[in-house]
Amino acid sequence: MYKRQTQLQLQAKAADRDRAQAKKQQMEATAKALALENELKDRRIKELEAQVAFWQQQTQQLRDLDLENVAWELGLNYDQQRWRGHGHIINIDGSKFYDFAPDQQKGSWGAIDLVMHVNNCNFRQAVVWLHERFGEASVERAAIAHVKNRAADIIQTEPRPQFTPPVEDKANWSAVEHYLTQFRGIRSDCIQMLHDQGLVYADQQQNAVFVMRNLDGQRNGAFLRGTRGENNTFKGYEKGTKRRDSWFYFSLGGKATDKTSTAILCKSPIDAISRAMLEYLIRGDVPPERTVYMAIDDIKSLPVERLQKVPNILVAFGNDKSSDAAAQRVLELMPQSQIKKSKASDWNQQLLDYGRQLRQQHQHRSRMMN
């Protein structure tokens, strides 16, 4: 009995030691975790402090010199709420100044302009003058502010350039139409529909002009495709085209007042027309719901905000590596989209192949009937 009690006591002590050891290890682990957490917090605080200091420095670098300090260096004296001297009576309001002297009566903003005005010097001379008195870092700030002020003034006063589309040459339309129907396999009624809408026409060089519009219908650009001969490889944008705010697109199906149900994105105007033509040939009719066919040649021009409101998006960029990469990027930006590859190298080639198959089938049926 005594041995049994002793054995139980030893086991209890061993269990107590184990529990104490486990508790100690747990406490040490907790302490290490807390120490690591505090270290990470301290590191994050230092990173945030460094970021704040960086942005404060950037903000300071973008801030112009204090005009009152510049006026003082220019030898002007502050009297009766004006900076006076050398025939000037200047009021300073933040970054702006105005000279009320009878023979001046003009104003501007920024340290460089103030020096140019008072010293009657040019820009280069004003920069050197500021450098001698305020140092390199300060004159750089003044130069940045000067450019920003000039840019703001230009933005407010300069008229906006308007896109001028290529001049239409109606005499060349038959040649352009022939190219699109015979070499590209697009039905003439489809081409005529787009021509009637003013979306495709011929220019003076016999290029096919595909009109690009913003999403409100304003003409902001044009894509040109050479049509002189089957092997003509010329293509490019008309000068002045706003590539980020204009696209070649057209809608089919539903009513004109219906909201767009489906957007089909292709890599070129001819591919967009070819895709629509293929669907029409296979279905035998236009889509039942409002569908827009749009040419997107680069992800940078993708109108993500507007397309996100479209329930169904089909990314039909073609069948090559660059198209695959672009399609995957669209899928990341708009998860509701689906990727549809062409069986051929692109949709126009698939349209040509499909048209050839239809002709062969027609010829086969004709022979069978005869």
Side-chain angles (χ1 to χ4, degrees):
M1 179 67 72
Y2 176 76
K3 290 182 178 180
R4 177 63 177 167
Q5 289 178 346
T6 302
Q7 186 177 8
L8 291 173
Q9 290 175 352
L10 291 174
Q11 290 177 348
K13 289 181 179 180
D16 289 340
R17 284 196 303 269
D18 291 342
R19 283 193 294 271
Q21 184 65 24
K23 188 174 182 180
K24 179 182 178 183
Q25 292 175 349
Q26 184 179 5
M27 291 175 65
E28 290 176 348
T30 302
K32 289 181 179 179
L34 289 172
L36 179 60
E37 183 179 353
N38 289 333
E39 182 182 350
L40 293 174
K41 285 181 178 179
D42 290 341
R43 188 183 304 171
R44 181 56 180 160
I45 289 172
K46 290 179 180 179
E47 290 175 353
L48 291 172
E49 289 175 344
Q51 288 180 3
V52 169
F54 172 78
W55 288 117
Q56 287 177 340
Q57 181 183 16
Q58 294 296 306
T59 302
Q60 180 64 25
Q61 289 177 350
L62 294 175
R63 187 178 296 123
D64 200 356
L65 298 179
D66 188 315
L67 294 195
E68 294 190 350
N69 288 338
V70 176
W72 185 85
E73 284 285 355
L74 285 165
L76 305 182
N77 295 312
Y78 189 69
D79 182 39
Q80 300 179 19
Q81 299 182 337
R82 296 285 190 271
W83 288 89
R84 303 169 186 268
H86 310 304
H88 300 284
I89 306 173
I90 296 175
N91 177 68
I92 293 177
D93 182 11
S95 62
K96 299 179 181 180
F97 67 89
Y98 188 87
D99 195 338
F100 287 94
D103 59 342
Q104 298 293 336
Q105 298 292 316
K106 60 183 176 182
S108 187
W109 50 78
I112 290 179
D113 276 8
L114 180 59
V115 174
M116 290 169 63
H117 175 71
V118 174
N119 285 351
N120 192 26
C121 65
N122 60 30
F123 174 82
R124 296 170 65 90
Q125 292 168 335
V127 168
V128 172
W129 187 93
L130 285 169
H131 180 267
E132 288 181 340
R133 288 158 177 80
F134 293 95
E136 184 174 354
S138 295
V139 77
E140 287 179 356
R141 286 167 46 195
I144 292 172
H146 181 82
V147 172
K148 287 178 62 180
N149 290 332
R150 285 289 171 269
D153 184 52
I154 291 170
I155 290 170
Q156 292 175 5
T157 60
E158 188 70 14
R160 295 291 181 268
Q162 298 298 316
F163 172 72
T164 303
V167 176
E168 181 178 7
D169 191 331
K170 295 182 179 180
N172 282 333
W173 172 242
S174 60
V176 169
E177 185 181 23
H178 178 79
Y179 170 84
L180 294 173
T181 55
Q182 299 303 311
F183 294 129
R184 293 297 188 167
I186 303 170
R187 285 178 43 159
S188 60
D189 54 353
C190 177
I191 296 300
Q192 191 60 46
M193 175 196 72
L194 295 171
H195 181 61
D196 291 342
Q197 293 179 12
L199 298 180
V200 181
Y201 63 88
D203 69 4
Q204 295 173 338
Q205 284 72 44
Q206 197 181 306
N207 295 314
V209 179
F210 298 94
V211 176
M212 299 170 63
R213 301 167 293 157
N214 65 14
L215 297 180
D216 295 322
Q218 180 180 344
R219 294 186 174 197
N220 281 342
F223 183 80
L224 310 182
R225 187 66 172 85
T227 67
R228 293 183 184 275
E230 182 180 1
N231 297 320
N232 193 315
T233 58
F234 167 74
K235 58 183 178 180
Y237 292 91
E238 177 69 3
K239 191 174 182 178
T241 293
K242 297 179 180 178
R243 294 182 65 176
R244 291 183 186 271
D245 191 31
S246 58
W247 304 266
F248 173 80
Y249 65 91
F250 58 94
S251 298
L252 296 175
K255 300 178 182 178
T257 55
D258 290 345
K259 290 185 177 181
T260 300
S261 173
T262 301
I264 300 179
L265 312 181
C266 300
K267 65 181 180 181
S268 71
I270 287 180
D271 253 22
I273 299 171
S274 300
R275 170 72 195 195
M277 192 77 257
L278 271 168
E279 292 183 355
Y280 180 82
L281 292 174
I282 295 171
R283 185 187 291 114
D285 200 354
V286 296
E289 297 180 324
R290 197 66 173 167
T291 301
V292 62
Y293 300 83
M294 178 179 285
I296 303 286
D297 73 335
D298 196 295
I299 295 299
K300 291 193 290 291
S301 65
L302 187 69
V304 176
E305 185 175 348
R306 291 288 286 270
L307 287 176
Q308 283 177 338
K309 301 175 183 178
V310 179
N312 306 298
I313 297 176
L314 198 64
V315 186
F317 285 161
N319 193 1
D320 55 67
K321 290 184 178 180
S322 61
S323 297
D324 288 346
Q328 288 296 331
R329 181 61 180 142
V330 175
L331 191 61
E332 294 173 4
L333 295 171
M334 295 181 295
Q336 81 273 31
S337 59
Q338 296 180 350
I339 297 175
K340 179 66 175 179
K341 293 184 180 181
S342 56
K343 295 179 181 178
S345 57
D346 56 36
W347 292 106
N348 183 245
Q349 186 59 52
Q350 186 163 325
L351 174 63
L352 292 170
D353 295 344
Y354 187 74
R356 190 177 303 109
Q357 292 174 11
L358 291 179
R359 290 192 295 272
Q360 291 174 351
Q361 291 173 5
H362 178 72
Q363 293 171 359
H364 179 71
R365 284 195 298 268
S366 296
R367 287 194 297 268
M368 294 294 291
M369 292 177 66
N370 294 331

